[in-house]
Amino acid sequence: MSEGLPPPEADHGASTWRPKHNPYLVAMVVTVATFMEVLDTTIINVALPHIAGSLSVGTDESTWTLTSYLVANGIVLPVSGWLGRLMGRKNYFLLSIIMFTVSSLLCGLSTSLPELIVFRLMQGFFGGGLQPNQQSILLDTFEPAKRATAFGVTAVAIIAAPIMGPTLGGWITDNFSWRWVFLINVPVGVIATFAISAVVEDPPWAKAGAGKGKRNIDVVGLSLIAAGFACLQIVLDRGEQEDWFSSGFIQAFGVGAVLGLVGAVVWLLDRPDPIVNLRVWKNKDFAIGTLFISIMAATLYGSAVLIPQLAQSQLGYTATWSGMILSPGGFMILFMIPIITRVLLKKFQARFIVATGFFLLGIAMFYTGTITPQVSFLNLMSMRLAQTFGTALLMIPISTVAFASVPREMNGDAAALYAMSRNLGGSIGIALVTAYLTQRSQVHQAYLVEHLSDLNMGYQMTKQAWMNGLAGHGLTPSQMDSSALGGIYRTLVRQAAILGYVDVFRISGVVAFCVVPLAFFMKSTKAAPKPAAAE
């Protein structure tokens, strides 16, 4: 039996407990709150230039509003299960949504960048507890046979929200003000608070564990987790701007991340009653599930950053229109959820669905790798739809298998570690694709520059075509020559960047294909959760 868990005979009334309210009503209420929090991880991205201008700071400085949120979020995610036990899960969920709403209001009223960063830290800290606690509530509220439906509800918040965030953020920013990106959370948060208070309840086993650890808070473990994840998130989020490990700033935080996280693992495994129970990873299905969800998040979020970036930087799209490319993908996921939960999971083993999902995701990435400088809006939208179709086949089956044999007493820690793995995978994916894009674009530019020679017939013809187009504009021959060279160079840089995007999408496809055979290591059948504690 796992240390720190109640013995199997400690039923706490669980065998007869049923939620007082309809499980689907509970799911809807807790998902609204989580959807709002996850939306805030991407909705602000397109508003950064407006924030920088309004607060009279540089665009690079304004990105700290993103970093601060992600740092605070990363710290609280792994310990959210412990916080739920400390305060009571419903109380912690209510505190999180209330303070997230208050922080959103303060962000919208900020008058300076330091104020906004502090309030974003608060927002990330209190918002970090919503994702794993939502999943824990759904795990306990739904019967084992209906858990796929519960994970379908979770997928709405986890997958659809970040996809729809840039579109909504762009529309709000273009038509109102960047402040409304935050202020829109206030009425939603107020409604969610009253609804959660009315319909959500803690099950007997959660009540039995509430308050545990109040007297002996693991300060060392908590400090190591906070320091390690804070440093790691800064490395991932600021690495590209600081030129990665050629910067002393990134080197220092990289060392801090390694020392903090390694120290945390060693410390927590040695504790009889750890603040985060890492022993849940002894469950093979849960361990494989967290690995797969990390890879899925890295691919999904990485491409979600690249496509709007491509549209705005290379194709001249506005924030709203670049977001519109992603939005249909969110609706694709919403359309697929009932098909997966009501049809596919009942007819096919989850591992076959996961293998198919990664295979289709790989094909979609290679399809996206066919982009050219002349790619149309409809083509970009179809590429994103193809990506989200494959992704939709992953989230629910992976979650179903991952939690199938996790004891209910460990649901809190399991949900926290699962959410942490997903978010960390997304952050790593974004960092890797951004770095690889820069590196490959520079490589392609170096190769293309070799062709800018008067000895190259293609270059001569292109230059002459530019000069013919400039004729009649009243320019001197030297001015026409200079303008032609400038135009050719801009074209070269753009083509090098497009080729860089092609490389990133193709390598993402290769990664997806490599995961396909690993899917068959998952359970061959859908197992019902064990009612007793871990052995």
Side-chain angles (χ1 to χ4, degrees), residues 15 40 64 74 79 87 107 114 130 139 146 161 176 182 202 221 224 244 250 265 283 304 310 326 339 352 428 434 530:
S15 58
D40 261 51
W64 278 103
V79 298
M87 303 179 198
C107 286
L130 294 175
L139 281 168
K146 296 182 179 179
F176 299 98
F182 300 108
D202 285 337
L224 287 170
W244 292 104
I250 295 298
V265 170
N283 184 303
L310 166 69
L326 302 182
I339 297 175
F352 294 139
I428 292 173
T434 304
K530 296 178 182 178

Side-chain angles (χ1 to χ4, degrees), residues 368-386:
T368 312
T370 62
I371 55 172
T372 67
Q374 292 76 38
V375 64
S376 68
F377 174 84
L378 289 177
N379 279 341
L380 282 173
M381 190 171 67
S382 67
M383 291 171 179
R384 186 58 183 174
L385 280 171

Side-chain angles (χ1 to χ4, degrees), residues 75-85 92 128-130 132-133 276 412 415-416:
I75 291 172
V76 80
L77 268 173
V79 298
S80 59
W82 169 75
L83 288 170
R85 293 193 298 272
Y92 177 48
L130 294 175
N133 273 280
V276 182

Side-chain angles (χ1 to χ4, degrees), residues 46-47 50 166-178 181 312 317-323:
V46 295
H50 299 266
T167 305
L168 181 60
W171 182 81
I172 291 173
T173 304
D174 290 342
N175 292 279
F176 299 98
S177 163
W178 64 267
V181 169
Q312 291 184 71
Y317 284 43
T318 64
T320 301
W321 279 100
S322 63

Side-chain angles (χ1 to χ4, degrees), residues 129-148:
L130 294 175
Q131 291 184 50
N133 273 280
Q134 178 227 20
Q135 195 151 36
S136 294
I137 290 170
L138 295 181
L139 281 168
D140 292 334
T141 301
F142 282 81
E143 298 175 6
K146 296 182 179 179
R147 279 192 174 176

Side-chain angles (χ1 to χ4, degrees), residues 8-57:
E9 62 270 15
D11 184 77
H12 301 303
S15 58
T16 58
W17 180 82
R18 295 291 183 273
K20 294 178 182 178
H21 298 275
N22 187 301
Y24 294 98
L25 177 61
V26 175
M28 183 180 68
V29 167
V30 296
T31 301
V32 167
T34 308
F35 184 92
M36 180 177 64
E37 187 273 328
V38 178
L39 194 72
D40 261 51
T41 61
T42 58
I43 195 173
I44 191 179
N45 293 21
V46 295
L48 289 179
H50 299 266
I51 292 174
S54 175
L55 301 180
S56 301
V57 297

Side-chain angles (χ1 to χ4, degrees), residues 102-144:
V102 171
S103 303
S104 297
L105 175 63
L106 294 174
C107 286
L109 299 177
S110 298
T111 57
S112 66
L113 184 63
E115 279 185 19
L116 183 57
I117 290 174
V118 169
F119 297 143
R120 283 285 282 174
L121 278 168
M122 290 175 55
Q123 199 184 34
F125 181 82
F126 289 105
L130 294 175
Q131 291 184 50
N133 273 280
Q134 178 227 20
Q135 195 151 36
S136 294
I137 290 170
L138 295 181
L139 281 168
D140 292 334
T141 301
F142 282 81
E143 298 175 6

Side-chain angles (χ1 to χ4, degrees), residues 448-468 484-485 488-489 491-492 495:
L448 291 175
V449 163
E450 295 177 357
H451 298 283
L452 301 187
S453 167
D454 288 331
L455 299 178
N456 186 290
M457 183 62 67
Y459 168 73
Q460 291 182 20
M461 295 174 63
T462 302
K463 183 179 178 182
Q464 188 59 49
W466 272 91
M467 295 187 70
N468 292 340
L485 289 176
I488 292 171
Y489 181 72
T491 301
L492 180 145
Q495 291 181 348

